Amino acid sequence: PTLRSEIAAAVASARRHRARLWVNDHWRLAAECGAYGVHLGQEDLAEQEGGPKAFGEMLRRSTTLRLGVSTHAPAELGVALALRPSYVAVGPIFGTSSKRIRFGARGLDMVRAWRSFVPRDTPLVAIGGISLANAASVARAGADAIAVISALPPTSDEDIVEAGALGGPAALSALRRDVDRWRTEVPWPPCHHEHSHVVGVPRSVVEGSTRSSVVDAASAVSSSSEGADDDDDDDDD
């Protein structure tokens, strides 16, 4: 299948499960296929025609996509805030083996610092090396949400395909229970926005390697706690 067909299938799956699908990098395809939002890194923003500011204005004017932005340093936070994103991601907070990155662990002090600059109505999402054992400290530092990959089983496309596409309801039920634990056992601060405190599926963004069955499984997990409808009045999520 092509990347377009995979994203289109993922969007359809997310809608069935009333989940919000964020597509990584491929904002044109995300817009064309009707995805909820797109996540871009700093390098992706810098490569857009006219630069980050012009891109952000174009995105709001020409699409319905919400925008999430990665940050790792103060200058990058300035770029992100100028775009009025739906959320600001910060990390890696701790060491991570989920992907190769050129930044070392940023630590909880960065979460605290970011919280003082990011508007309260803009979710601050912490990512990188977060587990149930350290999530409470991340929440206390000021994060509104966390993004996790390896902390939630299953941890590979093959495992999810087996659980979601080959009739593994028990595996999906276990994954839902894990997500519920994150929501109930971590002392999250009061919400100043409508978005859920946990962003946690093994493949939370659609990439070239993601299969539709993977997204079916991930969307099913998201639907277990995503009670909000799809008619959002916020600028972006």
Side-chain angles (χ1 to χ4, degrees):
T2 65
L3 181 58
R4 177 186 294 274
S5 67
E6 291 186 352
I7 292 177
V11 169
S13 175
R15 286 176 177 169
R16 286 197 303 274
H17 295 292
R18 301 185 67 198
R20 293 168 177 159
L21 180 69
W22 293 81
V23 176
N24 193 42
D25 296 343
H26 301 282
W27 66 268
R28 290 184 179 87
L29 290 178
E32 292 170 8
C33 296
Y36 182 83
V38 62
H39 180 92
L40 293 178
Q42 295 285 325
E43 294 86 356
D44 304 310
L45 288 170
E47 292 171 358
Q48 302 304 320
E49 184 177 355
K53 184 177 180 180
F55 172 75
E57 293 173 352
M58 180 280 299
L59 203 67
R60 284 191 294 272
R61 183 177 62 251
S62 306
T63 78
T64 59
L65 287 174
R66 282 76 171 174
L67 174 64
V69 180
S70 295
T71 63
H72 313 86
E76 295 183 350
L77 179 60
V79 171
L81 293 180
L83 296 173
R84 293 186 292 134
S86 295
Y87 69 83
V88 171
V90 57
I93 306 306
F94 306 111
T96 178
S97 59
S98 295
K99 62 182 294 188
R100 291 183 179 180
I101 50 179
R102 59 189 178 91
F103 296 96
R106 288 342 209 185
L108 296 176
D109 284 344
M110 180 167 278
V111 178
R112 297 185 187 98
W114 260 227
R115 182 71 280 167
S116 67
F117 291 108
V118 176
R120 289 302 307 179
D121 60 354
T122 301
L124 178 61
V125 181
I127 186 171
I130 300 173
S131 67
L132 195 57
N134 59 31
S137 64
V138 177
R140 284 192 292 266
D144 295 293
I146 54 176
V148 296
I149 299 177
S150 58
L152 287 178
T155 56
S156 69
D157 284 358
E158 291 75 17
D159 288 339
I160 304 171
V161 170
E162 182 177 356
L166 301 182
L172 285 181
S173 295
L175 187 52
R176 286 195 183 98
R177 287 194 297 271
D178 277 358
V179 172
D180 287 340
R181 286 187 62 202
W182 286 83
R183 297 182 189 281
T184 57
E185 295 183 20
V186 177
W188 296 110
C191 273
H192 295 266
H193 43 77
E194 67 193 71
H195 307 297
S196 143
H197 281 127
V198 177
V199 181
V201 292
R203 285 285 183 258
S204 57
V205 292
V206 175
E207 298 173 339
S209 62
T210 304
R211 298 172 177 81
S212 299
S213 52
V214 174
V215 180
D216 273 320
S219 299
V221 173
S222 298
S223 68
S224 67
S225 56
E226 186 68 71
D229 58 33
D230 292 329
D231 297 325
D232 300 288
D233 295 325
D234 55 330
D235 289 339
D236 1 70
D237 157 39

